[in-house]
Amino acid sequence: MALVAGVDSSTQSCKVVIRDAETGTLVRSGRAAHPDGTEVDPQAWWEALRSAVEQAGGLDDVAAVAVGGQQHGMVCLDESGEVVRPALLWNDTRSAGAADELVEELGGGETGRRAWAEAVGSVPVASFTVTKLRWLARHEPENAARVAAVCLPHDWLTWRLGGAAGLDALRTDRGDASGTGYWSPATGEYRTDLLERALGRVVAVPTVLGPAEVAGRLPGGAVLGPGTGDNAAAALGVGAVAGDVVVSIGTSGTVFSVAEAPAADPSGAVAGFADATGRFLPLVCTLNAARVLDAAAAMLGVGLDELAKLALAAPAGADGLVMVPYLEGERTPNLPLATGAVHGLTLRTSTPGHLARAAVEGMLCALADGLDALLAQGATVNRIILVGGGARSEAVRRIAPEVFGCPVLVPEPGEYVADGAARQAAWVVQGGAQPPTWSAGRSEEYAGSAVPRIREQYARARDLILDRPAAS
Ligand SMILES: Nc1ncnc2c1ncn2[C@@H]1O[C@H](COP(=O)(O)OP(=O)(O)O)[C@@H](O)[C@H]1O
Ligand SMILES: O=C(CO)[C@@H](O)[C@H](O)COP(=O)(O)O
């Protein structure tokens, strides 16, 4: 039995699954936490990966490994391959001003946004690597001058697994490259002019591999797959096909589908990413998802299961109590300085159940806005597949159909990013034009009628959002 390993190096943790390459049967798994914060020393990811691998029984008997990782994070390396400064993650909003500058420089407003969308499929916001490079050039010129190569979290981990043999050995894939802001999914080429515009000069970037190309080898001989961004890996993990919309509730909330043609949304709501199979992955991302539930549970002094019970015991629409969950600012809509808010407090709605319900509904409404944006770009939705840590919440599963207005399918709890990476690893070993077919696990369908007032009252509150007060 040949084994393959898939890694999910996501925002909050690293997960490793080891599966049978032919059938996809889960054999072993492990996980380890990542540090908090939006600026992280990549060495912490390496240590978490080692610890998760050890918990999963090691990699000595696997034929191939692939890494899925949080997208966009800026990992800068110097001439000798040392990390120049801690990585700025996708949810670090300090480069919001740099994003505005870059849009301005390509014509500003609608013209600038359209120019970026046409060049790289997406309008840069603070999450994108290109804006982080501009921030570095402006705010840390000494560090910027030391940068010899820039790569992403999954690229760096793949490179380390392969022995880190010089900057020329850096590899990435289409999926993750498409989140940099200096690689075009439409042409499959780097836009070194945009990289230079951001940083002031061109530095080394990873070679972009095809979906099942070999990225290197572990010292023990196992083959390394190209890996990909965590959302593209999740699409592969759930086996998303045309008509599927995946809603992932992790640290980020994402809504995406697999498409045959690249997207270029000048409004900036939909990012026109590439996927991990040679296709495309139009995607909407919110900054506030599972942690909204964590925050609500902390406010109420309860655990996540109790939060779900409270939310489900409260009436749909929480009698008008609305939470706008912009706790870390927001990316879609692009409001990096926004704060969250609770509207509609009355004596009647001042209960733990109402607050719990408002948190779940608010988080889902932000994602439903994302679904609208995706549909406006031509996506079709035959079914919604709910994944990510937040999908473990019974309240999320039951309230989602009321907010999205259609049934949702919840695959059995699992690590779909790591699974997608494992499936890619199996593809690299087996070859062929398509990834291996693994039998899908059980899914549960959650049905329920739409409750339009949930989104109507949310939309009114969302439009009243205020900026963060200046730090004292
Ligand atoms: N039963 C649950 N109910 C609600 N949220 C949950 C539950 N289990 C896990 N989570 C949340 O899922 C999040 C982690 O999800 P995950 O998809 O692993 O995130 P990431 O990939 O961003 O690291 C955490 O914020 C955690 O609180
Ligand atoms: O920035 C995006 C997508 O564009 C995020 O989805 C990151 O890829 C982080 O994912 P999680 O760690 O929340 O899964």
Side-chain angles (χ1 to χ4, degrees):
M1 174 172 75
L3 298 179
V4 288
V7 176
D8 172 12
S9 178
S10 284
T11 315
Q12 295 190 49
S13 62
C14 181
K15 303 127 189 177
V16 173
V17 298
I18 296 179
R19 290 188 174 266
D20 181 307
E22 214 154 290
T23 62
T25 305
L26 181 65
V27 178
R28 312 190 298 260
S29 64
R31 69 184 295 146
H34 283 164
D36 270 343
T38 61
E39 176 175 304
V40 170
D41 181 349
Q43 186 62 26
W45 302 328
W46 178 246
E47 275 151 27
L49 172 58
R50 282 167 49 131
S51 143
V53 162
E54 195 182 312
Q55 211 182 90
L59 296 176
D60 289 349
D61 54 352
V62 306
V65 184
V67 182
Q70 53 176 308
Q71 294 182 244
H72 314 297
M74 178 186 72
V75 180
C76 292
L77 305 177
D78 70 10
E79 214 42 79
S80 62
E82 290 302 316
V83 169
V84 169
R85 75 176 314 288
L88 296 185
L89 306 195
W90 65 278
N91 54 353
D92 188 292
T93 52
R94 77 187 71 178
S95 58
D100 291 345
E101 258 176 50
L102 289 168
V103 171
E104 205 51 43
E105 289 171 18
L106 293 203
E110 166 77 16
T111 306
R113 288 197 301 272
R114 190 171 292 279
W116 277 98
E118 279 168 9
V120 291
S122 304
V123 180
V125 290
S127 294
F128 285 75
T129 328
V130 72
T131 73
K132 298 178 191 303
L133 287 170
R134 168 56 69 84
W135 179 90
L136 190 73
R138 290 263 188 275
H139 295 268
E140 295 183 357
E142 281 171 18
N143 281 336
R146 286 177 53 217
V147 178
V150 59
C151 64
L152 300 172
H154 112 257
D155 311 340
W156 185 78
L157 286 170
T158 305
W159 183 69
R160 288 289 308 260
L161 282 168
L167 301 180
D168 288 350
L170 283 165
R171 298 287 180 273
T172 192
D173 86 305
R174 295 170 65 254
D176 230 4
S178 64
T180 57
Y182 44 84
W183 184 84
S184 163
T187 65
E189 311 257 319
Y190 276 110
R191 288 290 305 256
T192 45
D193 56 324
L194 298 176
L195 173 60
E196 182 172 10
R197 174 177 288 283
L199 186 64
R201 65 202 166 85
V202 176
V203 291
V205 282
T207 304
V208 182
L209 298 178
E213 281 191 74
V214 173
R217 282 187 182 274
L218 258 71
V223 171
L224 278 164
T228 192
D230 54 2
N231 291 293
L236 205 50
V238 297
V241 294
D244 289 343
V245 171
V246 181
V247 174
S248 168
I249 302 176
T251 315
S252 64
T254 54
V255 184
F256 54 92
S257 61
V258 175
E260 295 298 329
D265 175 10
S267 83
V270 176
F273 296 148
D275 84 341
T277 68
R279 299 183 182 82
F280 300 92
L281 199 80
L283 177 148
V284 177
C285 179
T286 65
L287 270 186
N288 300 283
R291 278 177 169 160
V292 175
L293 308 182
D294 295 338
M299 277 193 276
L300 294 171
V302 298
L304 290 167
D305 288 345
E306 182 58 20
L307 182 84
K309 282 192 195 131
L310 284 167
L312 287 171
D319 291 320
L321 192 74
V322 179
M323 182 184 289
V324 182
Y326 298 165
L327 308 186
E328 295 206 272
E330 191 41 270
R331 162 167 165 187
T332 319
N334 183 20
L335 297 168
L337 299 178
T339 51
V342 178
H343 295 263
L345 276 170
T346 61
L347 284 179
R348 182 184 167 88
T349 60
S350 300
T351 74
H354 284 84
L355 187 66
R357 179 105 199 175
V360 175
E361 289 180 352
M363 190 259 304
L364 288 169
C365 281
L367 291 168
D369 286 352
L371 177 60
D372 287 349
L374 201 63
L375 296 178
Q377 284 298 301
T380 48
V381 51
N382 295 336
R383 50 182 200 164
I384 291 183
I385 302 173
L386 207 59
V387 295
R392 294 177 194 252
S393 159
E394 191 61 12
V396 168
R397 296 159 173 230
R398 291 198 181 282
I399 296 171
E402 296 176 1
V403 174
F404 291 125
C406 61
V408 299
L409 213 59
V410 186
E412 60 189 332
E415 296 304 340
Y416 290 95
V417 175
D419 289 349
R423 192 161 170 232
Q424 186 196 65
W427 192 5
V428 173
V429 172
Q430 291 171 15
Q434 298 298 327
T437 309
W438 284 354
S439 62
R442 258 179 354 94
S443 288
E444 202 169 337
E445 185 176 273
Y446 286 72
S449 308
V451 182
R453 80 171 173 286
I454 300 178
R455 291 199 62 197
E456 288 158 13
Q457 66 189 20
Y458 175 81
R460 283 194 297 276
R462 179 198 60 207
D463 295 341
L464 299 173
I465 276 308
L466 298 176
D467 276 355
R468 210 161 280 269
S472 53

mmCIF file of all heavy atoms in Angstrom, residues 274-317:
data_model
loop_
_atom_site.group_PDB
_atom_site.id
_atom_site.type_symbol
_atom_site.label_atom_id
_atom_site.label_comp_id
_atom_site.label_asym_id
_atom_site.label_seq_id
_atom_site.Cartn_x
_atom_site.Cartn_y
_atom_site.Cartn_z
ATOM 1 N N ALA A 274 -6.251 31.059 -9.512
ATOM 2 C CA ALA A 274 -6.158 29.787 -10.246
ATOM 3 C C ALA A 274 -6.390 28.667 -9.239
ATOM 4 O O ALA A 274 -6.262 28.873 -8.028
ATOM 5 C CB ALA A 274 -4.775 29.665 -10.865
ATOM 6 N N ASP A 275 -6.725 27.460 -9.735
ATOM 7 C CA ASP A 275 -6.925 26.351 -8.797
ATOM 8 C C ASP A 275 -5.742 25.387 -8.871
ATOM 9 O O ASP A 275 -4.708 25.715 -9.462
ATOM 10 C CB ASP A 275 -8.283 25.659 -9.039
ATOM 11 C CG ASP A 275 -8.214 24.624 -10.145
ATOM 12 O OD1 ASP A 275 -7.266 24.684 -10.963
ATOM 13 O OD2 ASP A 275 -9.094 23.749 -10.184
ATOM 14 N N ALA A 276 -5.898 24.213 -8.309
ATOM 15 C CA ALA A 276 -4.776 23.264 -8.263
ATOM 16 C C ALA A 276 -4.914 22.161 -9.307
ATOM 17 O O ALA A 276 -4.209 21.162 -9.244
ATOM 18 C CB ALA A 276 -4.681 22.656 -6.860
ATOM 19 N N THR A 277 -5.836 22.332 -10.271
ATOM 20 C CA THR A 277 -5.999 21.291 -11.294
ATOM 21 C C THR A 277 -5.754 21.807 -12.701
ATOM 22 O O THR A 277 -5.979 21.089 -13.671
ATOM 23 C CB THR A 277 -7.441 20.711 -11.261
ATOM 24 O OG1 THR A 277 -8.347 21.738 -11.713
ATOM 25 C CG2 THR A 277 -7.847 20.224 -9.891
ATOM 26 N N GLY A 278 -5.367 23.087 -12.820
ATOM 27 C CA GLY A 278 -5.194 23.677 -14.153
ATOM 28 C C GLY A 278 -6.369 24.561 -14.516
ATOM 29 O O GLY A 278 -6.378 25.162 -15.588
ATOM 30 N N ARG A 279 -7.370 24.630 -13.619
ATOM 31 C CA ARG A 279 -8.528 25.490 -13.876
ATOM 32 C C ARG A 279 -8.376 26.783 -13.062
ATOM 33 O O ARG A 279 -7.269 27.200 -12.739
ATOM 34 C CB ARG A 279 -9.815 24.745 -13.505
ATOM 35 C CG ARG A 279 -10.038 23.476 -14.311
ATOM 36 C CD ARG A 279 -11.361 22.834 -13.930
ATOM 37 N NE ARG A 279 -11.579 21.600 -14.660
ATOM 38 C CZ ARG A 279 -11.077 20.403 -14.336
ATOM 39 N NH1 ARG A 279 -10.343 20.266 -13.265
ATOM 40 N NH2 ARG A 279 -11.309 19.336 -15.077
ATOM 41 N N PHE A 280 -9.531 27.361 -12.696
ATOM 42 C CA PHE A 280 -9.528 28.661 -11.998
ATOM 43 C C PHE A 280 -10.388 28.577 -10.740
ATOM 44 O O PHE A 280 -11.194 27.647 -10.591
ATOM 45 C CB PHE A 280 -9.983 29.755 -12.962
ATOM 46 C CG PHE A 280 -9.064 29.841 -14.150
ATOM 47 C CD1 PHE A 280 -9.325 29.109 -15.309
ATOM 48 C CD2 PHE A 280 -7.893 30.569 -14.068
ATOM 49 C CE1 PHE A 280 -8.437 29.127 -16.382
ATOM 50 C CE2 PHE A 280 -6.997 30.594 -15.137
ATOM 51 C CZ PHE A 280 -7.280 29.874 -16.287
ATOM 52 N N LEU A 281 -10.230 29.546 -9.847
ATOM 53 C CA LEU A 281 -10.896 29.474 -8.542
ATOM 54 C C LEU A 281 -11.357 30.869 -8.115
ATOM 55 O O LEU A 281 -10.756 31.466 -7.220
ATOM 56 C CB LEU A 281 -9.928 28.895 -7.497
ATOM 57 C CG LEU A 281 -10.555 28.343 -6.221
ATOM 58 C CD1 LEU A 281 -11.122 26.941 -6.462
ATOM 59 C CD2 LEU A 281 -9.532 28.271 -5.104
ATOM 60 N N PRO A 282 -12.395 31.430 -8.775
ATOM 61 C CA PRO A 282 -12.891 32.722 -8.303
ATOM 62 C C PRO A 282 -13.311 32.604 -6.839
ATOM 63 O O PRO A 282 -13.999 31.644 -6.472
ATOM 64 C CB PRO A 282 -14.098 32.995 -9.218
ATOM 65 C CG PRO A 282 -14.450 31.689 -9.841
ATOM 66 C CD PRO A 282 -13.195 30.870 -9.872
ATOM 67 N N LEU A 283 -12.888 33.589 -6.026
ATOM 68 C CA LEU A 283 -13.034 33.425 -4.570
ATOM 69 C C LEU A 283 -13.300 34.757 -3.887
ATOM 70 O O LEU A 283 -12.717 35.777 -4.254
ATOM 71 C CB LEU A 283 -11.742 32.790 -4.043
ATOM 72 C CG LEU A 283 -11.568 32.568 -2.551
ATOM 73 C CD1 LEU A 283 -10.715 31.313 -2.304
ATOM 74 C CD2 LEU A 283 -10.902 33.763 -1.871
ATOM 75 N N VAL A 284 -14.192 34.729 -2.912
ATOM 76 C CA VAL A 284 -14.415 35.892 -2.045
ATOM 77 C C VAL A 284 -13.912 35.515 -0.658
ATOM 78 O O VAL A 284 -14.189 34.409 -0.177
ATOM 79 C CB VAL A 284 -15.915 36.249 -1.983
ATOM 80 C CG1 VAL A 284 -16.145 37.415 -1.027
ATOM 81 C CG2 VAL A 284 -16.432 36.606 -3.373
ATOM 82 N N CYS A 285 -13.181 36.421 -0.029
ATOM 83 C CA CYS A 285 -12.618 36.107 1.295
ATOM 84 C C CYS A 285 -12.987 37.178 2.314
ATOM 85 O O CYS A 285 -12.819 38.372 2.050
ATOM 86 C CB CYS A 285 -11.096 36.017 1.181
ATOM 87 S SG CYS A 285 -10.285 35.662 2.750
ATOM 88 N N THR A 286 -13.483 36.744 3.454
ATOM 89 C CA THR A 286 -13.714 37.681 4.568
ATOM 90 C C THR A 286 -12.640 37.451 5.636
ATOM 91 O O THR A 286 -12.121 36.339 5.783
ATOM 92 C CB THR A 286 -15.108 37.502 5.190
ATOM 93 O OG1 THR A 286 -15.176 36.203 5.802
ATOM 94 C CG2 THR A 286 -16.207 37.635 4.155
ATOM 95 N N LEU A 287 -12.350 38.502 6.361
ATOM 96 C CA LEU A 287 -11.332 38.416 7.419
ATOM 97 C C LEU A 287 -11.884 37.804 8.698
ATOM 98 O O LEU A 287 -11.133 37.467 9.602
ATOM 99 C CB LEU A 287 -10.849 39.821 7.780
ATOM 100 C CG LEU A 287 -9.682 40.432 7.053
ATOM 101 C CD1 LEU A 287 -9.310 41.750 7.704
ATOM 102 C CD2 LEU A 287 -8.488 39.500 7.089
ATOM 103 N N ASN A 288 -13.215 37.770 8.809
ATOM 104 C CA ASN A 288 -13.833 37.408 10.094
ATOM 105 C C ASN A 288 -14.760 36.221 9.908
ATOM 106 O O ASN A 288 -15.830 36.370 9.320
ATOM 107 C CB ASN A 288 -14.635 38.599 10.624
ATOM 108 C CG ASN A 288 -13.760 39.818 10.846
ATOM 109 O OD1 ASN A 288 -13.031 39.882 11.826
ATOM 110 N ND2 ASN A 288 -13.796 40.767 9.913
ATOM 111 N N ALA A 289 -14.345 35.060 10.409
ATOM 112 C CA ALA A 289 -15.220 33.888 10.273
ATOM 113 C C ALA A 289 -15.252 33.110 11.594
ATOM 114 O O ALA A 289 -15.907 33.555 12.548
ATOM 115 C CB ALA A 289 -14.788 33.051 9.085
ATOM 116 N N ALA A 290 -14.531 31.995 11.689
ATOM 117 C CA ALA A 290 -14.660 31.156 12.903
ATOM 118 C C ALA A 290 -14.327 31.936 14.182
ATOM 119 O O ALA A 290 -14.892 31.658 15.243
ATOM 120 C CB ALA A 290 -13.762 29.934 12.781
ATOM 121 N N ARG A 291 -13.438 32.918 14.059
ATOM 122 C CA ARG A 291 -13.062 33.644 15.280
ATOM 123 C C ARG A 291 -14.181 34.551 15.786
ATOM 124 O O ARG A 291 -14.130 35.005 16.933
ATOM 125 C CB ARG A 291 -11.787 34.445 15.052
ATOM 126 C CG ARG A 291 -10.569 33.573 15.213
ATOM 127 C CD ARG A 291 -9.337 34.357 14.919
ATOM 128 N NE ARG A 291 -8.148 33.619 15.302
ATOM 129 C CZ ARG A 291 -6.940 33.884 14.822
ATOM 130 N NH1 ARG A 291 -6.786 34.866 13.947
ATOM 131 N NH2 ARG A 291 -5.907 33.193 15.211
ATOM 132 N N VAL A 292 -15.165 34.828 14.934
ATOM 133 C CA VAL A 292 -16.336 35.572 15.404
ATOM 134 C C VAL A 292 -17.071 34.701 16.434
ATOM 135 O O VAL A 292 -17.549 35.195 17.471
ATOM 136 C CB VAL A 292 -17.273 35.910 14.226
ATOM 137 C CG1 VAL A 292 -18.548 36.567 14.704
ATOM 138 C CG2 VAL A 292 -16.545 36.799 13.219
ATOM 139 N N LEU A 293 -17.116 33.407 16.151
ATOM 140 C CA LEU A 293 -17.763 32.489 17.098
ATOM 141 C C LEU A 293 -16.919 32.375 18.363
ATOM 142 O O LEU A 293 -17.449 32.370 19.482
ATOM 143 C CB LEU A 293 -17.960 31.109 16.469
ATOM 144 C CG LEU A 293 -18.666 31.085 15.112
ATOM 145 C CD1 LEU A 293 -18.841 29.666 14.619
ATOM 146 C CD2 LEU A 293 -20.023 31.780 15.202
ATOM 147 N N ASP A 294 -15.603 32.300 18.188
ATOM 148 C CA ASP A 294 -14.711 32.267 19.361
ATOM 149 C C ASP A 294 -14.945 33.513 20.221
ATOM 150 O O ASP A 294 -15.027 33.438 21.449
ATOM 151 C CB ASP A 294 -13.235 32.246 18.929
ATOM 152 C CG ASP A 294 -12.842 30.972 18.180
ATOM 153 O OD1 ASP A 294 -13.534 29.949 18.327
ATOM 154 O OD2 ASP A 294 -11.846 31.004 17.440
ATOM 155 N N ALA A 295 -15.043 34.673 19.553
ATOM 156 C CA ALA A 295 -15.207 35.937 20.288
ATOM 157 C C ALA A 295 -16.561 35.978 20.997
ATOM 158 O O ALA A 295 -16.653 36.401 22.161
ATOM 159 C CB ALA A 295 -15.070 37.121 19.327
ATOM 160 N N ALA A 296 -17.609 35.519 20.315
ATOM 161 C CA ALA A 296 -18.941 35.537 20.941
ATOM 162 C C ALA A 296 -18.964 34.593 22.142
ATOM 163 O O ALA A 296 -19.526 34.918 23.201
ATOM 164 C CB ALA A 296 -20.000 35.134 19.922
ATOM 165 N N ALA A 297 -18.333 33.433 21.980
ATOM 166 C CA ALA A 297 -18.286 32.475 23.099
ATOM 167 C C ALA A 297 -17.538 33.094 24.280
ATOM 168 O O ALA A 297 -17.961 32.968 25.439
ATOM 169 C CB ALA A 297 -17.613 31.186 22.643
ATOM 170 N N ALA A 298 -16.431 33.803 23.970
ATOM 171 C CA ALA A 298 -15.654 34.444 25.055
ATOM 172 C C ALA A 298 -16.486 35.530 25.740
ATOM 173 O O ALA A 298 -16.492 35.645 26.971
ATOM 174 C CB ALA A 298 -14.360 35.021 24.481
ATOM 175 N N MET A 299 -17.227 36.317 24.934
ATOM 176 C CA MET A 299 -18.060 37.386 25.531
ATOM 177 C C MET A 299 -19.104 36.800 26.470
ATOM 178 O O MET A 299 -19.439 37.388 27.494
ATOM 179 C CB MET A 299 -18.782 38.175 24.426
ATOM 180 C CG MET A 299 -17.953 39.251 23.806
ATOM 181 S SD MET A 299 -19.001 40.339 22.808
ATOM 182 C CE MET A 299 -19.080 39.473 21.286
ATOM 183 N N LEU A 300 -19.616 35.633 26.091
ATOM 184 C CA LEU A 300 -20.693 35.031 26.891
ATOM 185 C C LEU A 300 -20.150 34.100 27.972
ATOM 186 O O LEU A 300 -20.920 33.576 28.786
ATOM 187 C CB LEU A 300 -21.645 34.256 25.970
ATOM 188 C CG LEU A 300 -22.422 35.135 24.987
ATOM 189 C CD1 LEU A 300 -23.177 34.282 23.969
ATOM 190 C CD2 LEU A 300 -23.402 36.026 25.752
ATOM 191 N N GLY A 301 -18.848 33.862 27.946
ATOM 192 C CA GLY A 301 -18.240 32.992 28.952
ATOM 193 C C GLY A 301 -18.684 31.539 28.810
ATOM 194 O O GLY A 301 -18.854 30.827 29.802
ATOM 195 N N VAL A 302 -18.884 31.096 27.555
ATOM 196 C CA VAL A 302 -19.312 29.705 27.327
ATOM 197 C C VAL A 302 -18.376 29.051 26.313
ATOM 198 O O VAL A 302 -17.567 29.719 25.675
ATOM 199 C CB VAL A 302 -20.772 29.636 26.789
ATOM 200 C CG1 VAL A 302 -21.751 30.213 27.785
ATOM 201 C CG2 VAL A 302 -20.901 30.361 25.427
ATOM 202 N N GLY A 303 -18.508 27.749 26.156
ATOM 203 C CA GLY A 303 -17.753 27.033 25.123
ATOM 204 C C GLY A 303 -18.498 27.088 23.791
ATOM 205 O O GLY A 303 -19.637 27.575 23.722
ATOM 206 N N LEU A 304 -17.851 26.552 22.740
ATOM 207 C CA LEU A 304 -18.453 26.648 21.390
ATOM 208 C C LEU A 304 -19.723 25.806 21.256
ATOM 209 O O LEU A 304 -20.661 26.187 20.558
ATOM 210 C CB LEU A 304 -17.422 26.232 20.343
ATOM 211 C CG LEU A 304 -16.275 27.234 20.162
ATOM 212 C CD1 LEU A 304 -15.131 26.615 19.357
ATOM 213 C CD2 LEU A 304 -16.784 28.504 19.478
ATOM 214 N N ASP A 305 -19.788 24.675 21.955
ATOM 215 C CA ASP A 305 -21.002 23.849 21.861
ATOM 216 C C ASP A 305 -22.176 24.555 22.537
ATOM 217 O O ASP A 305 -23.297 24.549 22.048
ATOM 218 C CB ASP A 305 -20.773 22.473 22.494
ATOM 219 C CG ASP A 305 -19.853 21.625 21.622
ATOM 220 O OD1 ASP A 305 -19.669 22.010 20.442
ATOM 221 O OD2 ASP A 305 -19.323 20.629 22.114
ATOM 222 N N GLU A 306 -21.891 25.187 23.685
ATOM 223 C CA GLU A 306 -22.950 25.915 24.396
ATOM 224 C C GLU A 306 -23.383 27.128 23.560
ATOM 225 O O GLU A 306 -24.570 27.454 23.503
ATOM 226 C CB GLU A 306 -22.411 26.354 25.777
ATOM 227 C CG GLU A 306 -23.398 27.085 26.673
ATOM 228 C CD GLU A 306 -24.672 26.291 26.995
ATOM 229 O OE1 GLU A 306 -24.664 25.057 26.848
ATOM 230 O OE2 GLU A 306 -25.677 26.942 27.361
ATOM 231 N N LEU A 307 -22.426 27.780 22.910
ATOM 232 C CA LEU A 307 -22.771 28.918 22.035
ATOM 233 C C LEU A 307 -23.766 28.453 20.971
ATOM 234 O O LEU A 307 -24.764 29.134 20.697
ATOM 235 C CB LEU A 307 -21.512 29.470 21.365
ATOM 236 C CG LEU A 307 -21.762 30.691 20.474
ATOM 237 C CD1 LEU A 307 -21.779 31.969 21.320
ATOM 238 C CD2 LEU A 307 -20.689 30.820 19.389
ATOM 239 N N ALA A 308 -23.500 27.291 20.385
ATOM 240 C CA ALA A 308 -24.388 26.766 19.337
ATOM 241 C C ALA A 308 -25.775 26.499 19.914
ATOM 242 O O ALA A 308 -26.791 26.834 19.293
ATOM 243 C CB ALA A 308 -23.790 25.499 18.740
ATOM 244 N N LYS A 309 -25.824 25.920 21.115
ATOM 245 C CA LYS A 309 -27.135 25.637 21.733
ATOM 246 C C LYS A 309 -27.898 26.929 21.981
ATOM 247 O O LYS A 309 -29.096 27.034 21.717
ATOM 248 C CB LYS A 309 -26.936 24.901 23.064
ATOM 249 C CG LYS A 309 -26.624 23.449 22.880
ATOM 250 C CD LYS A 309 -26.718 22.698 24.204
ATOM 251 C CE LYS A 309 -26.043 21.350 24.053
ATOM 252 N NZ LYS A 309 -25.107 21.023 25.111
ATOM 253 N N LEU A 310 -27.185 27.934 22.489
ATOM 254 C CA LEU A 310 -27.836 29.229 22.762
ATOM 255 C C LEU A 310 -28.388 29.824 21.462
ATOM 256 O O LEU A 310 -29.526 30.309 21.414
ATOM 257 C CB LEU A 310 -26.820 30.209 23.374
ATOM 258 C CG LEU A 310 -26.460 29.989 24.845
ATOM 259 C CD1 LEU A 310 -25.220 30.803 25.220
ATOM 260 C CD2 LEU A 310 -27.642 30.373 25.744
ATOM 261 N N ALA A 311 -27.566 29.785 20.414
ATOM 262 C CA ALA A 311 -27.985 30.394 19.141
ATOM 263 C C ALA A 311 -29.211 29.679 18.587
ATOM 264 O O ALA A 311 -30.140 30.313 18.082
ATOM 265 C CB ALA A 311 -26.829 30.331 18.137
ATOM 266 N N LEU A 312 -29.228 28.368 18.706
ATOM 267 C CA LEU A 312 -30.337 27.602 18.130
ATOM 268 C C LEU A 312 -31.623 27.759 18.938
ATOM 269 O O LEU A 312 -32.723 27.575 18.407
ATOM 270 C CB LEU A 312 -29.946 26.127 18.007
ATOM 271 C CG LEU A 312 -28.938 25.877 16.885
ATOM 272 C CD1 LEU A 312 -28.402 24.450 16.929
ATOM 273 C CD2 LEU A 312 -29.562 26.166 15.522
ATOM 274 N N ALA A 313 -31.477 28.132 20.194
ATOM 275 C CA ALA A 313 -32.681 28.316 21.025
ATOM 276 C C ALA A 313 -33.290 29.702 20.813
ATOM 277 O O ALA A 313 -34.431 29.945 21.211
ATOM 278 C CB ALA A 313 -32.321 28.106 22.494
ATOM 279 N N ALA A 314 -32.539 30.617 20.194
ATOM 280 C CA ALA A 314 -33.047 31.983 19.969
ATOM 281 C C ALA A 314 -33.808 32.024 18.643
ATOM 282 O O ALA A 314 -33.568 31.196 17.758
ATOM 283 C CB ALA A 314 -31.875 32.965 19.934
ATOM 284 N N PRO A 315 -34.718 32.995 18.474
ATOM 285 C CA PRO A 315 -35.493 33.042 17.233
ATOM 286 C C PRO A 315 -34.656 33.489 16.030
ATOM 287 O O PRO A 315 -33.698 34.249 16.186
ATOM 288 C CB PRO A 315 -36.580 34.089 17.533
ATOM 289 C CG PRO A 315 -36.028 34.909 18.641
ATOM 290 C CD PRO A 315 -35.106 34.051 19.434
ATOM 291 N N ALA A 316 -35.017 33.002 14.837
ATOM 292 C CA ALA A 316 -34.344 33.430 13.599
ATOM 293 C C ALA A 316 -34.452 34.942 13.492
ATOM 294 O O ALA A 316 -35.522 35.514 13.689
ATOM 295 C CB ALA A 316 -35.000 32.772 12.394
ATOM 296 N N GLY A 317 -33.332 35.599 13.217
ATOM 297 C CA GLY A 317 -33.321 37.056 13.137
ATOM 298 C C GLY A 317 -33.075 37.702 14.499
ATOM 299 O O GLY A 317 -32.941 38.929 14.593
#
